Amino acid sequence: MRKFLVILDDSRECLNAMRFAAMRAAHTGGGVTVLSVIAPEEFNHWIGVGEIMRAEARERIEVHYEVFAKWMRDRQNVQPELVIREGEAVAEIMAQVSDDPDIGVLVLGAGSEGKGPGPLVTALTRQAGELPIPITIVPGEMSKERLEAIT
């Protein structure tokens, strides 16, 4: 089964990327993998403090993920899977694509505040030639209705 890989972060544009991935998966019989990357600098503390912070970060990600997962299950009849990796975001995204041969499309949300598309879109489009899959970039300001019409 072909899967759409979408990145879960704290950006506003993440919402449209999630919607697009779920709707495309529902219409094509595919799946959705939601990847969240924890930056290593979040844990540069004493070992005990770092472990507590890591556990809190994972819990925060799982709560955030569950909001999207419930919508995907209830509205799109798609059962997403969550993957949490630690490291530098671009490297971990590339590693996830490499590790999971079922991933067929990387879906990213583009920022819309006039500051460019965002750091992930910028970095990953520079490396697009190295990816074995296409990237779909979803505008952050695209309406839900327009997303439904094009998926």
Side-chain angles (χ1 to χ4, degrees):
M1 165 178 48
R2 178 180 73 162
K3 294 191 280 188
F4 293 85
L5 176 63
V6 64
I7 311 307
L8 174 64
D9 58 22
D10 292 329
S11 68
R12 283 187 54 216
E13 54 270 16
C14 168
L15 175 60
N16 268 359
M18 290 284 177
R19 285 178 177 152
F20 180 89
M23 287 188 272
R24 287 295 302 145
H27 291 124
T28 62
V32 175
T33 297
V34 177
L35 173 64
S36 189
V37 180
I38 302 172
E41 61 267 7
E42 291 186 38
F43 311 115
N44 287 338
H45 302 282
W46 294 309
I47 292 172
V49 174
E51 289 303 317
I52 291 169
M53 292 177 73
R54 181 176 283 111
E56 288 173 350
R58 286 182 173 274
E59 184 177 323
R60 190 173 57 250
I61 288 166
E62 289 169 359
V63 167
H64 196 180
Y65 161 78
E66 192 51 44
V67 171
F68 292 113
K70 181 175 180 2
W71 177 83
M72 288 183 195
R73 288 188 299 265
D74 294 350
R75 297 281 177 94
Q76 302 300 321
N77 201 28
V78 170
Q79 179 62 48
E81 69 174 312
L82 174 64
V83 175
I84 301 173
R85 297 180 78 118
E86 294 182 26
E88 191 272 317
V90 172
E92 294 304 324
I93 292 166
M94 299 287 275
Q96 184 65 33
V97 169
S98 177
D99 292 349
D100 188 344
D102 291 333
I103 293 173
V105 178
L106 172 60
V107 179
L108 300 173
S112 56
E113 289 137 17
K115 300 176 191 166
L120 276 182
V121 172
T122 301
L124 286 163
T125 54
R126 285 188 186 128
Q127 295 185 13
E130 298 171 31
L131 279 168
I133 60 172
I135 299 173
T136 298
I137 300 173
V138 182
E141 291 297 317
M142 186 175 280
S143 72
K144 191 170 32 173
E145 295 76 25
R146 180 75 179 129
L147 278 171
E148 289 171 356
I150 64 172
T151 58

CSV table of all heavy atoms in Angstrom, one decimal, residues 1-9 14 17-22 24-26 30-37 65 68-69 72 78-85 92-93 95-108 133:
chain,number,residue,atom,x,y,z
A,1,MET,N,0.8,-1.2,0.0
A,1,MET,CA,0.0,0.0,0.0
A,1,MET,C,0.9,1.2,0.0
A,1,MET,O,1.8,1.3,0.8
A,1,MET,CB,-0.9,0.0,1.2
A,1,MET,CG,-1.5,1.3,1.5
A,1,MET,SD,-2.7,1.5,2.9
A,1,MET,CE,-1.8,0.7,4.2
A,2,ARG,N,0.6,2.2,-0.9
A,2,ARG,CA,1.3,3.4,-1.0
A,2,ARG,C,0.9,4.3,0.2
A,2,ARG,O,-0.2,4.4,0.6
A,2,ARG,CB,1.1,4.1,-2.2
A,2,ARG,CG,1.8,5.5,-2.3
A,2,ARG,CD,1.5,6.2,-3.6
A,2,ARG,NE,0.1,6.7,-3.5
A,2,ARG,CZ,-0.4,7.6,-4.3
A,2,ARG,NH1,0.4,8.1,-5.2
A,2,ARG,NH2,-1.6,8.0,-4.2
A,3,LYS,N,1.9,4.9,0.9
A,3,LYS,CA,1.6,5.8,2.0
A,3,LYS,C,2.1,7.2,1.7
A,3,LYS,O,3.1,7.4,1.0
A,3,LYS,CB,2.4,5.3,3.2
A,3,LYS,CG,1.8,3.9,3.7
A,3,LYS,CD,2.4,3.6,5.1
A,3,LYS,CE,3.8,3.0,5.0
A,3,LYS,NZ,4.2,2.5,6.3
A,4,PHE,N,1.4,8.1,2.3
A,4,PHE,CA,1.7,9.5,2.2
A,4,PHE,C,2.5,9.8,3.5
A,4,PHE,O,1.9,9.6,4.6
A,4,PHE,CB,0.5,10.4,2.1
A,4,PHE,CG,-0.2,10.2,0.8
A,4,PHE,CD1,-1.1,9.2,0.6
A,4,PHE,CD2,0.1,11.1,-0.3
A,4,PHE,CE1,-1.8,9.1,-0.6
A,4,PHE,CE2,-0.6,10.9,-1.5
A,4,PHE,CZ,-1.5,9.9,-1.7
A,5,LEU,N,3.6,10.4,3.4
A,5,LEU,CA,4.4,10.8,4.6
A,5,LEU,C,4.1,12.3,4.8
A,5,LEU,O,4.4,13.1,4.0
A,5,LEU,CB,5.9,10.6,4.4
A,5,LEU,CG,6.8,11.1,5.6
A,5,LEU,CD1,6.5,10.3,6.9
A,5,LEU,CD2,8.3,10.9,5.2
A,6,VAL,N,3.7,12.7,6.0
A,6,VAL,CA,3.4,14.1,6.4
A,6,VAL,C,4.1,14.4,7.7
A,6,VAL,O,4.2,13.5,8.6
A,6,VAL,CB,1.8,14.3,6.4
A,6,VAL,CG1,1.2,13.5,7.5
A,6,VAL,CG2,1.5,15.8,6.5
A,7,ILE,N,4.5,15.6,7.8
A,7,ILE,CA,5.3,16.0,9.0
A,7,ILE,C,4.4,16.7,10.0
A,7,ILE,O,3.8,17.7,9.6
A,7,ILE,CB,6.5,16.9,8.6
A,7,ILE,CG1,7.3,16.3,7.4
A,7,ILE,CG2,7.4,17.2,9.7
A,7,ILE,CD1,7.8,14.9,7.6
A,8,LEU,N,4.5,16.3,11.2
A,8,LEU,CA,3.8,16.9,12.3
A,8,LEU,C,4.7,17.8,13.1
A,8,LEU,O,5.7,17.4,13.6
A,8,LEU,CB,3.2,15.8,13.3
A,8,LEU,CG,2.5,16.3,14.5
A,8,LEU,CD1,1.3,17.1,14.2
A,8,LEU,CD2,2.2,15.1,15.4
A,9,ASP,N,4.4,19.1,13.1
A,9,ASP,CA,5.2,20.1,13.8
A,9,ASP,C,4.2,21.1,14.4
A,9,ASP,O,3.0,20.9,14.3
A,9,ASP,CB,6.3,20.7,13.0
A,9,ASP,CG,5.8,21.4,11.7
A,9,ASP,OD1,4.7,21.8,11.7
A,9,ASP,OD2,6.7,21.5,10.8
A,14,CYS,N,1.0,22.9,8.8
A,14,CYS,CA,0.9,21.5,9.1
A,14,CYS,C,-0.5,21.0,8.9
A,14,CYS,O,-0.7,19.8,8.4
A,14,CYS,CB,1.5,21.2,10.5
A,14,CYS,SG,1.2,19.6,11.1
A,17,ALA,N,-1.4,20.3,5.3
A,17,ALA,CA,-0.6,19.1,4.8
A,17,ALA,C,-1.3,17.8,5.3
A,17,ALA,O,-1.4,16.8,4.6
A,17,ALA,CB,0.8,19.2,5.2
A,18,MET,N,-1.7,17.8,6.6
A,18,MET,CA,-2.4,16.6,7.2
A,18,MET,C,-3.7,16.4,6.4
A,18,MET,O,-4.0,15.2,6.1
A,18,MET,CB,-2.7,16.9,8.7
A,18,MET,CG,-1.5,16.9,9.5
A,18,MET,SD,-0.9,15.2,9.9
A,18,MET,CE,0.5,15.7,10.8
A,19,ARG,N,-4.5,17.4,6.2
A,19,ARG,CA,-5.7,17.2,5.5
A,19,ARG,C,-5.5,16.7,4.1
A,19,ARG,O,-6.2,15.7,3.7
A,19,ARG,CB,-6.5,18.6,5.4
A,19,ARG,CG,-7.1,19.1,6.6
A,19,ARG,CD,-7.7,20.4,6.4
A,19,ARG,NE,-8.4,20.9,7.5
A,19,ARG,CZ,-8.5,22.2,7.8
A,19,ARG,NH1,-8.1,23.1,7.0
A,19,ARG,NH2,-9.2,22.6,8.9
A,20,PHE,N,-4.6,17.2,3.4
A,20,PHE,CA,-4.3,16.8,2.0
A,20,PHE,C,-3.9,15.3,2.0
A,20,PHE,O,-4.4,14.5,1.2
A,20,PHE,CB,-3.2,17.7,1.4
A,20,PHE,CG,-2.9,17.2,0.0
A,20,PHE,CD1,-3.6,17.8,-1.1
A,20,PHE,CD2,-1.9,16.3,-0.3
A,20,PHE,CE1,-3.3,17.4,-2.4
A,20,PHE,CE2,-1.6,15.9,-1.6
A,20,PHE,CZ,-2.3,16.5,-2.7
A,21,ALA,N,-2.9,15.0,2.9
A,21,ALA,CA,-2.5,13.6,2.9
A,21,ALA,C,-3.6,12.6,3.2
A,21,ALA,O,-3.7,11.6,2.6
A,21,ALA,CB,-1.3,13.4,4.0
A,22,ALA,N,-4.4,12.9,4.2
A,22,ALA,CA,-5.5,12.1,4.6
A,22,ALA,C,-6.6,11.9,3.5
A,22,ALA,O,-7.0,10.8,3.2
A,22,ALA,CB,-6.2,12.6,5.9
A,24,ARG,N,-6.1,12.4,0.2
A,24,ARG,CA,-5.5,11.7,-0.9
A,24,ARG,C,-5.5,10.2,-0.6
A,24,ARG,O,-5.8,9.4,-1.4
A,24,ARG,CB,-4.1,12.2,-1.3
A,24,ARG,CG,-4.1,13.5,-2.0
A,24,ARG,CD,-4.8,13.5,-3.3
A,24,ARG,NE,-4.1,12.6,-4.2
A,24,ARG,CZ,-4.8,11.9,-5.1
A,24,ARG,NH1,-6.1,12.0,-5.3
A,24,ARG,NH2,-4.1,11.0,-5.9
A,25,ALA,N,-5.1,9.9,0.6
A,25,ALA,CA,-5.0,8.5,1.0
A,25,ALA,C,-6.4,7.8,1.0
A,25,ALA,O,-6.6,6.7,0.5
A,25,ALA,CB,-4.5,8.3,2.4
A,26,ALA,N,-7.4,8.6,1.4
A,26,ALA,CA,-8.8,8.0,1.4
A,26,ALA,C,-9.3,7.8,0.0
A,26,ALA,O,-9.9,6.8,-0.3
A,26,ALA,CB,-9.7,9.0,2.1
A,30,GLY,N,-4.8,4.5,0.0
A,30,GLY,CA,-3.4,4.6,0.6
A,30,GLY,C,-3.5,4.7,2.1
A,30,GLY,O,-4.5,4.7,2.7
A,31,GLY,N,-2.3,4.9,2.6
A,31,GLY,CA,-2.2,5.1,4.1
A,31,GLY,C,-1.4,6.4,4.3
A,31,GLY,O,-1.0,7.1,3.4
A,32,VAL,N,-1.4,6.8,5.6
A,32,VAL,CA,-0.7,8.0,6.1
A,32,VAL,C,0.3,7.6,7.2
A,32,VAL,O,-0.1,7.0,8.2
A,32,VAL,CB,-1.7,9.1,6.5
A,32,VAL,CG1,-0.9,10.3,7.1
A,32,VAL,CG2,-2.6,9.5,5.4
A,33,THR,N,1.5,8.1,7.0
A,33,THR,CA,2.5,8.0,8.1
A,33,THR,C,2.7,9.4,8.5
A,33,THR,O,3.1,10.3,7.7
A,33,THR,CB,3.8,7.4,7.6
A,33,THR,OG1,3.6,6.0,7.2
A,33,THR,CG2,4.8,7.4,8.7
A,34,VAL,N,2.6,9.7,9.8
A,34,VAL,CA,2.8,11.0,10.4
A,34,VAL,C,4.1,10.9,11.1
A,34,VAL,O,4.3,10.1,12.0
A,34,VAL,CB,1.7,11.4,11.4
A,34,VAL,CG1,1.9,12.7,12.0
A,34,VAL,CG2,0.3,11.4,10.7
A,35,LEU,N,5.1,11.8,10.7
A,35,LEU,CA,6.4,11.8,11.3
A,35,LEU,C,6.6,13.1,12.1
A,35,LEU,O,6.3,14.2,11.6
A,35,LEU,CB,7.5,11.7,10.2
A,35,LEU,CG,8.9,11.9,10.6
A,35,LEU,CD1,9.4,10.8,11.5
A,35,LEU,CD2,9.8,12.0,9.4
A,36,SER,N,7.1,12.9,13.3
A,36,SER,CA,7.4,14.1,14.1
A,36,SER,C,8.9,13.9,14.5
A,36,SER,O,9.3,12.8,14.9
A,36,SER,CB,6.5,14.2,15.4
A,36,SER,OG,6.8,15.4,16.0
A,37,VAL,N,9.6,14.9,14.4
A,37,VAL,CA,11.1,14.9,14.7
A,37,VAL,C,11.4,15.7,15.9
A,37,VAL,O,11.0,16.9,15.9
A,37,VAL,CB,11.9,15.3,13.5
A,37,VAL,CG1,13.4,15.2,13.8
A,37,VAL,CG2,11.6,14.5,12.3
A,65,TYR,N,-0.8,14.6,17.8
A,65,TYR,CA,-1.0,13.6,16.8
A,65,TYR,C,-2.5,13.0,16.9
A,65,TYR,O,-3.2,12.9,15.9
A,65,TYR,CB,0.0,12.4,16.9
A,65,TYR,CG,-0.5,11.2,16.2
A,65,TYR,CD1,-0.4,11.0,14.8
A,65,TYR,CD2,-1.0,10.1,16.9
A,65,TYR,CE1,-0.8,9.9,14.2
A,65,TYR,CE2,-1.4,8.9,16.3
A,65,TYR,CZ,-1.3,8.8,14.9
A,65,TYR,OH,-1.7,7.7,14.3
A,68,PHE,N,-5.2,14.9,15.0
A,68,PHE,CA,-5.2,14.7,13.6
A,68,PHE,C,-5.7,13.3,13.3
A,68,PHE,O,-6.5,13.0,12.4
A,68,PHE,CB,-3.9,14.9,13.0
A,68,PHE,CG,-3.4,16.4,13.0
A,68,PHE,CD1,-2.4,16.8,13.8
A,68,PHE,CD2,-4.1,17.3,12.2
A,68,PHE,CE1,-2.0,18.1,13.8
A,68,PHE,CE2,-3.7,18.6,12.2
A,68,PHE,CZ,-2.6,19.0,13.0
A,69,ALA,N,-5.2,12.3,14.1
A,69,ALA,CA,-5.6,10.9,13.9
A,69,ALA,C,-7.1,10.7,14.0
A,69,ALA,O,-7.6,9.9,13.2
A,69,ALA,CB,-4.8,10.0,14.8
A,72,MET,N,-8.7,11.9,10.9
A,72,MET,CA,-8.5,11.0,9.8
A,72,MET,C,-9.3,9.8,9.9
A,72,MET,O,-9.9,9.3,8.9
A,72,MET,CB,-7.0,10.7,9.7
A,72,MET,CG,-6.1,11.8,9.3
A,72,MET,SD,-4.4,11.2,9.2
A,72,MET,CE,-3.5,12.7,9.1
A,78,VAL,N,-9.3,6.7,7.4
A,78,VAL,CA,-7.8,6.4,7.3
A,78,VAL,C,-7.2,6.2,8.6
A,78,VAL,O,-7.5,7.0,9.5
A,78,VAL,CB,-7.1,7.6,6.5
A,78,VAL,CG1,-5.6,7.4,6.6
A,78,VAL,CG2,-7.6,7.7,5.1
A,79,GLN,N,-6.5,5.1,8.8
A,79,GLN,CA,-5.9,4.8,10.1
A,79,GLN,C,-4.4,5.2,10.0
A,79,GLN,O,-3.6,4.5,9.4
A,79,GLN,CB,-6.0,3.4,10.5
A,79,GLN,CG,-5.3,3.0,11.8
A,79,GLN,CD,-5.9,3.7,13.0
A,79,GLN,OE1,-7.1,3.7,13.2
A,79,GLN,NE2,-5.1,4.3,13.8
A,80,PRO,N,-4.0,6.4,10.5
A,80,PRO,CA,-2.6,6.8,10.3
A,80,PRO,C,-1.7,6.1,11.3
A,80,PRO,O,-2.2,5.6,12.3
A,80,PRO,CB,-2.7,8.3,10.6
A,80,PRO,CG,-3.8,8.4,11.6
A,80,PRO,CD,-4.8,7.4,11.1
A,81,GLU,N,-0.4,6.2,11.0
A,81,GLU,CA,0.6,5.7,12.0
A,81,GLU,C,1.5,6.8,12.3
A,81,GLU,O,1.8,7.7,11.5
A,81,GLU,CB,1.4,4.5,11.4
A,81,GLU,CG,2.3,4.9,10.2
A,81,GLU,CD,3.2,3.7,9.8
A,81,GLU,OE1,3.8,3.1,10.6
A,81,GLU,OE2,3.3,3.6,8.6
A,82,LEU,N,1.9,6.8,13.6
A,82,LEU,CA,2.8,7.8,14.1
A,82,LEU,C,4.2,7.3,14.2
A,82,LEU,O,4.4,6.2,14.7
A,82,LEU,CB,2.3,8.3,15.5
A,82,LEU,CG,3.3,9.3,16.2
A,82,LEU,CD1,3.4,10.6,15.4
A,82,LEU,CD2,2.8,9.6,17.6
A,83,VAL,N,5.2,8.1,13.7
A,83,VAL,CA,6.6,7.7,13.9
A,83,VAL,C,7.3,9.0,14.5
A,83,VAL,O,7.1,10.1,14.0
A,83,VAL,CB,7.3,7.4,12.5
A,83,VAL,CG1,8.8,7.2,12.7
A,83,VAL,CG2,6.6,6.3,11.8
A,84,ILE,N,8.0,8.7,15.6
A,84,ILE,CA,8.7,9.8,16.3
A,84,ILE,C,10.2,9.5,16.1
A,84,ILE,O,10.6,8.4,16.5
A,84,ILE,CB,8.3,9.9,17.8
A,84,ILE,CG1,6.8,10.2,17.9
A,84,ILE,CG2,9.2,11.0,18.4
A,84,ILE,CD1,6.3,10.2,19.3
A,85,ARG,N,10.9,10.4,15.6
A,85,ARG,CA,12.4,10.2,15.5
A,85,ARG,C,13.1,11.4,16.2
A,85,ARG,O,12.5,12.5,16.3
A,85,ARG,CB,12.8,10.2,14.0
A,85,ARG,CG,12.2,9.0,13.2
A,85,ARG,CD,12.6,9.0,11.8
A,85,ARG,NE,13.9,8.5,11.6
A,85,ARG,CZ,14.2,7.4,11.0
A,85,ARG,NH1,13.3,6.7,10.4
A,85,ARG,NH2,15.5,7.0,10.9
A,92,GLU,N,16.3,13.2,9.3
A,92,GLU,CA,15.3,12.2,9.8
A,92,GLU,C,14.2,11.9,8.8
A,92,GLU,O,13.7,10.8,8.6
A,92,GLU,CB,14.8,12.6,11.2
A,92,GLU,CG,15.8,12.6,12.3
A,92,GLU,CD,16.6,11.3,12.4
A,92,GLU,OE1,15.9,10.2,12.2
A,92,GLU,OE2,17.8,11.3,12.7
A,93,ILE,N,13.8,13.0,8.1
A,93,ILE,CA,12.8,12.8,7.0
A,93,ILE,C,13.3,11.9,5.9
A,93,ILE,O,12.7,10.9,5.5
A,93,ILE,CB,12.3,14.1,6.5
A,93,ILE,CG1,11.5,14.9,7.6
A,93,ILE,CG2,11.4,13.9,5.2
A,93,ILE,CD1,11.2,16.3,7.3
A,95,ALA,N,15.8,9.8,6.2
A,95,ALA,CA,15.9,8.4,6.7
A,95,ALA,C,14.6,7.7,6.8
A,95,ALA,O,14.6,6.5,6.4
A,95,ALA,CB,16.6,8.5,8.1
A,96,GLN,N,13.5,8.4,7.1
A,96,GLN,CA,12.2,7.7,7.1
A,96,GLN,C,11.8,7.2,5.8
A,96,GLN,O,11.3,6.1,5.6
A,96,GLN,CB,11.2,8.6,7.8
A,96,GLN,CG,9.8,8.0,7.9
A,96,GLN,CD,9.8,6.8,8.9
A,96,GLN,OE1,10.6,6.8,9.9
A,96,GLN,NE2,9.0,5.8,8.7
A,97,VAL,N,12.0,8.1,4.8
A,97,VAL,CA,11.7,7.7,3.4
A,97,VAL,C,12.5,6.5,3.0
A,97,VAL,O,12.0,5.6,2.3
A,97,VAL,CB,12.0,8.9,2.4
A,97,VAL,CG1,11.9,8.5,1.0
A,97,VAL,CG2,10.9,10.0,2.7
A,98,SER,N,13.8,6.5,3.4
A,98,SER,CA,14.7,5.4,3.0
A,98,SER,C,14.3,4.1,3.7
A,98,SER,O,14.3,3.0,3.2
A,98,SER,CB,16.1,5.8,3.4
A,98,SER,OG,17.0,4.7,3.1
A,99,ASP,N,13.9,4.2,5.0
A,99,ASP,CA,13.5,3.1,5.8
A,99,ASP,C,12.2,2.4,5.5
A,99,ASP,O,12.0,1.3,5.8
A,99,ASP,CB,13.5,3.5,7.3
A,99,ASP,CG,14.9,3.8,7.9
A,99,ASP,OD1,15.9,3.6,7.2
A,99,ASP,OD2,15.0,4.3,9.0
A,100,ASP,N,11.3,3.2,4.9
A,100,ASP,CA,9.9,2.7,4.7
A,100,ASP,C,9.7,2.7,3.2
A,100,ASP,O,9.3,3.7,2.6
A,100,ASP,CB,8.9,3.5,5.4
A,100,ASP,CG,7.5,2.9,5.3
A,100,ASP,OD1,7.3,2.0,4.5
A,100,ASP,OD2,6.6,3.3,6.1
A,101,PRO,N,9.8,1.6,2.5
A,101,PRO,CA,9.6,1.5,1.0
A,101,PRO,C,8.2,1.7,0.6
A,101,PRO,O,8.0,2.0,-0.6
A,101,PRO,CB,10.1,0.1,0.6
A,101,PRO,CG,10.0,-0.7,1.9
A,101,PRO,CD,10.2,0.3,3.0
A,102,ASP,N,7.2,1.7,1.5
A,102,ASP,CA,5.8,1.9,1.1
A,102,ASP,C,5.5,3.4,1.0
A,102,ASP,O,4.4,3.7,0.5
A,102,ASP,CB,4.9,1.3,2.2
A,102,ASP,CG,4.9,-0.2,2.1
A,102,ASP,OD1,5.3,-0.8,1.1
A,102,ASP,OD2,4.7,-0.8,3.2
A,103,ILE,N,6.4,4.3,1.5
A,103,ILE,CA,6.1,5.7,1.4
A,103,ILE,C,6.3,6.1,-0.1
A,103,ILE,O,7.3,5.9,-0.7
A,103,ILE,CB,7.0,6.5,2.3
A,103,ILE,CG1,6.7,6.3,3.8
A,103,ILE,CG2,6.9,8.0,2.0
A,103,ILE,CD1,7.7,6.9,4.7
A,104,GLY,N,5.2,6.7,-0.7
A,104,GLY,CA,5.2,7.0,-2.1
A,104,GLY,C,5.2,8.5,-2.3
A,104,GLY,O,5.6,9.0,-3.4
A,105,VAL,N,4.8,9.3,-1.4
A,105,VAL,CA,4.8,10.8,-1.5
A,105,VAL,C,5.1,11.5,-0.2
A,105,VAL,O,4.5,11.1,0.8
A,105,VAL,CB,3.4,11.2,-2.0
A,105,VAL,CG1,3.3,12.8,-2.2
A,105,VAL,CG2,3.0,10.6,-3.3
A,106,LEU,N,5.9,12.5,-0.2
A,106,LEU,CA,6.1,13.4,0.9
A,106,LEU,C,5.2,14.6,0.8
A,106,LEU,O,5.3,15.3,-0.2
A,106,LEU,CB,7.6,13.8,1.0
A,106,LEU,CG,8.0,14.8,2.0
A,106,LEU,CD1,7.7,14.3,3.4
A,106,LEU,CD2,9.5,15.1,1.9
A,107,VAL,N,4.4,14.8,1.8
A,107,VAL,CA,3.5,16.0,1.8
A,107,VAL,C,4.0,17.0,2.8
A,107,VAL,O,4.1,16.7,4.0
A,107,VAL,CB,2.1,15.6,2.1
A,107,VAL,CG1,1.1,16.8,2.1
A,107,VAL,CG2,1.6,14.5,1.1
A,108,LEU,N,4.2,18.2,2.3
A,108,LEU,CA,4.7,19.3,3.2
A,108,LEU,C,3.7,20.5,3.0
A,108,LEU,O,3.2,20.8,2.0
A,108,LEU,CB,6.1,19.8,2.7
A,108,LEU,CG,7.2,18.8,2.8
A,108,LEU,CD1,8.5,19.4,2.1
A,108,LEU,CD2,7.5,18.3,4.2
A,133,ILE,N,11.2,9.7,-4.1
A,133,ILE,CA,9.7,10.0,-4.2
A,133,ILE,C,9.4,11.4,-4.5
A,133,ILE,O,10.3,12.3,-4.2
A,133,ILE,CB,9.0,9.6,-2.9
A,133,ILE,CG1,9.5,10.4,-1.7
A,133,ILE,CG2,9.1,8.1,-2.6
A,133,ILE,CD1,8.7,10.2,-0.4
